Amino acid sequence: TDTDTPVFNVDLQITKDDGVTTYTPGNSVTYTIVVTNPTCPANVKGATVTDTFLAPITSANWTCVAAGGATCTANGSSNINDTVNIPVGGSLTYTVTANTDSSATASLSNTASVAVPGGYNETAPADNSATDTDTASLEAYLSITKYDGLIVYEASDTIVYTIVVSNNGPSDVIGAI
């Protein structure tokens, strides 16, 4: 008796892009993640799509649209950890809206990955993760008002000024003068 366990060769692929090279801390970033099974000889059942949203991302919401017979979770919030099915020619498109910390100054780098389950042999693992990196572009709207509450004054009056400085963002400002 000879018993062989089948191993299916596959080449899942993932891309991730937000369409820009900079982000403004305090604003949201929208990523598009596409997972495909373009020419594999086997349908893939039980693959895992993951994306962990670390600082400077403060929160994230996502949706998934499946095509070509693929299946995924329709939506979620926070990290993506989705068990999916992708037949040959099928695809998944995740749209992620990620909010960023207004005090961030560092680049924003985020990676999405796809992994095949046991019983499958990934023939080209180099395209199983994709990273999008954007440089911080701080943006703020500073304003100042000064008011003494008077229309006229006399020479002997003591005048008290109220000065209000505001930042209407979206980024925090440190060290303004």
Side-chain angles (χ1 to χ4, degrees):
T1 301
D2 179 27
T3 304
D4 297 320
T5 302
V7 174
F8 301 100
N9 289 328
V10 296
D11 180 23
L12 295 182
Q13 300 172 4
I14 191 168
T15 61
K16 179 174 188 167
D17 192 18
D18 64 3
V20 297
T21 58
T22 62
Y23 79 102
T24 303
N27 280 349
S28 63
V29 176
T30 301
Y31 294 108
T32 301
I33 301 167
V34 179
V35 182
T36 57
N37 184 0
T39 59
C40 303
N43 297 332
V44 178
K45 294 182 180 180
T48 304
V49 177
T50 57
D51 195 339
T52 302
F53 302 107
L54 303 174
I57 294 174
T58 58
S59 64
N61 292 301
W62 53 270
T63 60
C64 181
V65 175
T71 61
C72 60
T73 302
N75 58 58
S77 60
S78 192
N79 299 329
I80 299 173
N81 188 10
D82 197 13
T83 301
V84 300
N85 300 313
I86 311 172
V88 175
S91 66
L92 305 169
T93 302
Y94 291 85
T95 302
V96 179
T97 302
N99 298 312
T100 62
D101 186 345
S102 62
S103 66
T105 58
S107 292
L108 171 60
S109 185
N110 187 256
T111 301
S113 301
V114 62
V116 297
Y120 292 90
N121 178 43
E122 175 59 61
T123 60
D127 58 10
N128 286 84
S129 68
T131 301
D132 183 273
T133 302
D134 299 325
T135 305
S137 176
L138 302 176
E139 183 179 308
Y141 177 64
L142 298 179
S143 63
I144 188 168
T145 60
K146 181 177 181 180
Y147 183 67
D148 64 9
L150 302 173
I151 297 174
V152 295
Y153 72 94
E154 293 185 24
S156 63
D157 287 348
T158 299
I159 300 175
V160 176
Y161 291 102
T162 300
I163 301 170
V164 178
V165 179
S166 301
N167 177 9
N168 292 316
S171 304
D172 289 356
V173 176
I174 297 171
I177 297 173

